[in-house]
Amino acid sequence: MNEVKLLETHGPNGPDLSDEALHAARTRLLAEISAAATAVPYSTRSALLSRLGAVRPGRRQLLARLALAGAGLAAVAATAVAVMPEASQQHATRPPVTADGPPRTRPAVPARIKLVAVTAPEFPYALPSLGKPTFTADPGGPIMAVYLAPDGSDVVLTSGTGNEGQPMRGERDISVDGRPGRIISISDVSGAAASVQLTWERRPDEWVMIVGNGRHASVEAVLQLARQVVDQPQRLAFKVAVGLVPDGWKLGGFKDGGSIISYRDPANPDLDLHVQWTPKPDTAPDSRIEGFETARTVTVNKRPARLVQATQFWRLTAPLSDGSGFTLMTPRSFTPDQVLAVANSIRLSRT
């Protein structure tokens, strides 16, 4: 897309955004906001984010954006959707990069990998009064249930953490039915409360967090919502399901409606694998892959696929039964057979 086309499509005189586009943008923004309280340190982020140059804003920066979410989310949505609207997402020419460590520093003797069956990821809580949520998760962060409202009074429900370090400015202790918690309000430019974040110990050593926006941006509203949280495991709907992952690895994050999924080693967050669903199989030339070394044609689920060995990772692209495709990225510490085993375990999700 050239500069003129970009301005015509996403500039100030461009067409109005669709409801679907606003929905997607709002979900992504709220996910960023909610992840603030549990953001992982820079030093433990995956090699994917580090090598792509992504800088995760600090907790204070993201909490400050709560006011932005309540006061002017539609304006933010225009920028967010212009980056990657899911409805028009094309297959990536440079998919996520997974590495065994910093460039050119792979372990001389990689740890042994044992593949095991993985159960379908679930979210443990629900707010039945708010309807059906959208789920998202930042890399290394918790799963978040996002309850979108037409008037922007969105609610985020996720797992939280106990008190760590100094409280934030404006944060205060609060009791939720006799259980300890903490709460903080973020104001918009007019001084009105735009968002309120409540974190409380729902059960011993089980912390839950709620972020309320719009009409839910009050102490009374979030306390009322907290009392409505129920135990209700909900299966996460991804574009594809991954059947095998290394033993001990956990769901590391997902986005774009479950079209990108990652699993990571909790003991070494720099080790992770990624699966990216695409509307059509990725046919980008092998030579465009960073650190390309060799490539060969293989068979995945009885269909031809492409396996590329790069300096820091393995990359496999394959078609799916409905004509779509996926790209699998794993560390180089995987053997080729293990890459193929994971690829053969990937199926379209049943909806």
Side-chain angles (χ1 to χ4, degrees):
M1 180 181 293
N2 60 34
E3 291 83 352
V4 173
K5 184 64 176 177
L6 182 65
L7 287 172
E8 289 176 349
T9 305
H10 301 297
N13 296 321
D16 292 337
L17 291 169
S18 67
D19 291 341
E20 292 78 7
L22 289 172
H23 176 101
R26 187 190 300 165
T27 300
R28 295 179 193 177
L29 179 57
L30 285 170
E32 272 194 83
I33 292 166
S34 300
T38 52
V40 294
Y42 180 86
S43 60
T44 62
R45 292 185 308 168
S46 72
L48 162 69
L49 295 180
S50 300
R51 296 186 68 192
L52 292 183
V55 178
R56 188 192 192 95
R59 182 179 181 219
R60 297 179 184 274
Q61 291 175 286
L62 284 177
L63 281 174
R65 292 180 63 187
L66 286 166
L68 184 62
L73 187 56
V76 178
T79 302
V81 175
V83 177
M84 184 183 286
E86 184 177 352
S88 60
Q89 189 178 2
Q90 300 297 320
H91 65 265
T93 57
R94 184 180 175 184
V97 175
T98 286
D100 286 314
R104 297 177 297 280
T105 60
R106 290 201 311 273
V109 182
R112 182 183 177 186
I113 294 172
K114 176 185 176 183
L115 297 178
V116 297
V118 60
T119 57
E122 293 182 329
F123 184 74
Y125 312 115
L127 281 166
S129 63
L130 298 183
K132 187 177 181 180
T134 296
F135 295 101
T136 187
D138 282 345
I143 299 171
M144 292 164 279
V146 183
Y147 294 87
L148 299 171
D151 65 353
S153 298
D154 308 309
V155 174
V156 176
L157 175 64
T158 186
S159 58
T161 60
N163 287 309
E164 297 178 355
Q166 293 295 320
M168 293 185 58
R169 182 178 179 180
E171 189 176 65
R172 61 186 177 87
D173 292 337
I174 195 170
S175 176
V176 182
D177 293 338
R179 305 297 304 179
R182 58 189 187 274
I183 195 165
I184 185 171
S185 299
I186 302 297
S187 301
D188 60 21
V189 292
S190 69
S195 299
V196 174
Q197 176 179 296
L198 168 67
T199 306
W200 81 104
E201 191 178 30
R202 188 164 178 262
R203 296 190 185 98
D205 298 322
E206 181 184 310
W207 292 79
V208 180
M209 184 175 73
I210 286 180
V211 179
N213 292 278
R215 56 188 165 82
H216 297 298
S218 69
V219 174
E220 295 76 14
V222 294
L223 284 173
Q224 183 178 8
L225 289 170
R227 297 183 181 106
Q228 296 174 9
V229 174
V230 298
D231 296 323
Q232 183 179 311
Q234 301 171 78
R235 186 170 178 175
L236 306 182
F238 296 154
K239 299 289 189 182
V240 293
V242 182
L244 292 175
V245 300
D247 190 15
W249 286 32
K250 306 295 183 183
L251 181 68
F254 56 93
K255 63 178 182 177
D256 293 338
S259 61
I260 300 178
I261 313 166
S262 68
Y263 285 85
R264 66 172 53 197
D265 180 0
N268 186 355
D270 284 342
L271 286 179
D272 45 16
L273 67 83
H274 304 268
V275 178
Q276 179 177 0
W277 175 89
T278 51
K280 295 181 180 180
D282 189 344
T283 57
D286 297 335
S287 58
R288 297 180 63 180
I289 298 171
E290 180 182 354
F292 171 79
E293 292 182 351
T294 62
R296 61 189 173 98
T297 298
V298 294
T299 300
V300 172
N301 294 323
K302 299 181 180 180
R303 302 180 187 93
R306 194 71 172 166
L307 177 63
V308 171
Q309 176 180 314
T311 306
Q312 293 288 308
F313 55 88
W314 293 97
R315 176 183 188 269
L316 184 145
T317 54
L320 290 162
S321 59
D322 67 344
S324 62
F326 70 86
T327 298
L328 168 66
M329 310 285 291
T330 78
R332 273 288 298 272
S333 50
F334 280 50
T335 67
D337 287 344
Q338 288 171 332
V339 178
L340 288 172
V342 174
N344 277 293
S345 78
I346 296 172
R347 299 285 191 277
L348 286 167
S349 293
R350 291 187 298 241
T351 56

